[in-house]
Amino acid sequence: MPESGQKTTQGHITERAPESIAGPAARRTGLLVTLVLGGLTALPPLSMDMYLPALPEVTGALAAPAATIQLTLTACLAGMALGQLVVGPMSDKWGRRRPLLIGMVVYVLATAACAFAPTAETLIGFRLLQGLAGAAGIVIARAVVRDLYDGVEMARFFSTLMLISGVAPIIAPLIGGQILRITDWRGVFHVLTVIGVLLTLVVWRFLGETLPPERRHEGGVGQALRTMRGLLADRVFAGYMLTGGLAFAALFAYISASPFVVQEIYGASPQTFSLLFGLNSIGLVAVGQINGKLLVGRVSLDKALGWGLGTILVAALALLLMTSGAFGKVGLVPIAAGLFVLMSAMGLAMPNTNALALMRTPHAAGSASALLGTTSFLVGAVASPLVGIAGEHTAVPMAVVQLTCAVLALVCFLGLCRPWRAPAATAGAPAAGA
């Protein structure tokens, strides 16, 4: 039976009203909550990518080797991955609002500290703290969606979030470049600090608590670890987690290799690369909207996910054949087309893996969201350096990594999730070691 406050449609539990919010704003399902949650998920990519154009300037200003300055990116990424494991269980115990506001305040302080860092080592430390705190936005935004929605409505909302969060990696380097026209690299962190302050105020004012006390977990670190162990013991949840992480790794491989592949191997200008990068991001967002507006509710989430994984696999195979010379010498246009198809298919894979995994975990949405996010970041971080393993004159490693990730993602999906055995009506079933 559905929980109190839910309604069913075509066998799906579609919406859950958070009991802890009263009045007309009981379910902020409109534009405002979408923008708030979208802002929370967009803040980490803004923190990473807005800083990229400033890297050469930072190297000179802090008199540090380029490899040391690159660690400021690694530290932020590692913080985002590990921070989710901490914040997710905290939000299951104390509710969503308190850990989120604490994380946002710490993010603002850490970002402001980055602007005044006197040495590269200090900057690395503050960037690690910035990533740890910024992880609160990623993990709690997903958990809030799980609190508010279930079934097809949750998948639709994740697709809508992609419209906002998917734009962030496109505009962040452009914003960073414009900031550097009027100030130095420290100004980038000043702007990020202002964004953090504004978003914190918006969260404090407009995002109410979505996890009522009766649905919270008691206990400390031990209980959190037991909860995560229980989630990982659930074969189906683990399958969706690994499927999403591996698909995300294929995306990371593209992000890591595409500047080198497009500009160095195929001779495109930085402007052409920026155009192609933007088109691919638009493709991802557009397919995500097609998924949310047209497919969800008409096609099962597992089937839509299967289509996405199959398309990624075909695109990665085509890229491998083209880059390895199987079709003779090919130019940039076919390669760009293959990357566009692969990236666009992520709009089917990413929102549906999140939705299907979280549908099984209404009792531990924060911990489940943490595991999903951390797995994606860690698997992506492992895949990224592999794209350059064969040197600077071939794109084959990128295609090999993408194809390997696509094959493994499909194997996890079919072997662990077994979608032919999972009726849609199981949405919201507690995780169990099935």
Side-chain angles (χ1 to χ4, degrees):
M1 291 291 292
E3 298 175 15
S4 176
Q6 297 174 350
K7 61 183 181 180
T8 58
T9 304
Q10 298 177 345
H12 294 273
I13 301 172
T14 56
E15 294 186 32
R16 175 185 292 107
E19 299 87 343
S20 58
I21 304 177
R27 286 179 292 117
R28 294 189 169 96
T29 56
L31 178 62
L32 181 60
V33 73
T34 304
L35 292 175
V36 173
L37 297 180
L40 291 173
T41 55
L43 188 60
L46 284 176
S47 302
M48 290 289 295
D49 297 341
M50 193 185 295
Y51 172 65
L52 293 178
L55 284 179
E57 183 180 333
V58 178
T59 302
L62 297 182
T68 301
I69 299 302
Q70 288 287 345
L71 289 177
T72 62
L73 297 176
T74 304
C76 188
L77 183 62
M80 290 179 189
L82 298 176
Q84 294 184 63
L85 291 177
V86 177
V87 177
M90 286 172 57
S91 73
D92 283 337
K93 180 180 180 181
W94 295 328
R96 314 303 184 202
R97 185 174 166 84
R98 193 193 318 176
L100 177 57
L101 288 172
I102 292 173
M104 292 301 300
V105 170
V106 175
Y107 172 87
V108 169
L109 295 176
T111 305
C114 288
F116 297 99
T119 65
E121 291 75 17
T122 306
L123 181 59
I124 291 171
F126 287 139
R127 286 283 279 175
L128 176 63
L129 182 60
Q130 183 191 39
L132 288 167
I138 307 174
V139 67
I140 293 181
R142 274 195 302 261
V144 167
V145 174
R146 181 62 185 90
D147 294 339
L148 293 171
Y149 296 99
D150 210 334
V152 296
E153 292 299 324
M154 180 165 55
R156 285 197 180 105
F157 200 93
F158 275 127
S159 295
T160 302
L161 280 184
M162 289 186 63
L163 181 62
I164 302 173
S165 59
V167 173
I170 305 174
I171 65 173
L174 301 177
I175 296 174
Q178 294 305 310
I179 293 172
L180 292 176
R181 293 170 65 92
I182 58 176
T183 184
D184 62 5
W185 65 272
R186 298 181 188 274
V188 174
F189 290 107
H190 289 309
V191 172
L192 284 172
T193 301
V194 173
I195 293 174
V197 169
L198 293 176
L199 189 54
T200 302
L201 292 174
V202 169
V203 168
W204 176 76
R205 176 64 180 83
F206 295 108
L207 190 64
E209 180 57 65
T210 61
L211 186 68
E214 61 269 20
R215 288 171 50 201
R216 298 178 189 176
H217 288 186
E218 297 298 329
V221 175
Q223 177 62 37
L225 293 176
R226 284 191 295 272
T227 299
M228 288 189 174
R229 186 167 62 244
L231 291 171
L232 294 174
D234 174 16
R235 169 179 51 78
V236 179
F237 173 82
Y240 287 126
M241 181 187 72
L242 292 173
T243 298
L246 288 163
F248 195 69
L251 173 63
F252 256 61
Y254 158 78
I255 293 173
S256 299
S258 59
F260 165 72
V261 169
V262 173
Q263 296 180 79
E264 298 298 325
I265 297 180
Y266 291 96
S269 66
Q271 291 74 27
T272 300
F273 165 72
S274 298
L275 175 63
L276 293 177
F277 191 90
L279 287 174
N280 290 340
S281 299
I282 291 171
L284 186 153
V285 171
V287 172
Q289 296 312 293
I290 292 172
N291 176 71
K293 305 298 184 184
L294 299 179
L295 297 183
V296 171
R298 296 178 175 88
V299 177
S300 74
L301 301 186
D302 280 309
K303 184 175 290 187
L305 173 56
W307 289 348
L309 294 175
T311 304
I312 293 170
L313 178 62
V314 171
L317 178 59
L319 285 167
L320 178 58
L321 293 174
M322 287 188 290
T323 57
S324 64
F327 301 137
K329 186 176 178 62
V330 298
L332 176 60
V333 172
I335 298 296
L339 289 172
F340 178 81
V341 172
L342 185 145
M343 280 286 290
S344 298
M346 295 291 175
L348 291 176
M350 293 167 63
N352 290 324
T353 49
N354 282 333
L356 285 162
L358 289 173
M359 280 160 63
R360 296 183 62 83
T361 60
H363 60 296
S367 296
S369 177
L371 288 173
L372 291 172
T374 300
T375 300
S376 294
F377 274 96
L378 292 181
V379 176
V382 170
S384 294
L386 299 179
V387 298
I389 199 169
E392 301 180 355
H393 304 289
T394 175
V396 171
M398 177 192 72
V400 169
V401 170
Q402 290 174 330
L403 182 59
T404 301
C405 291
V407 170
L408 291 176
L410 196 58
V411 168
C412 289
F413 176 56
L414 296 176
L416 296 176
C417 303
R418 301 176 189 174
W420 58 88
R421 296 185 181 180
T426 59

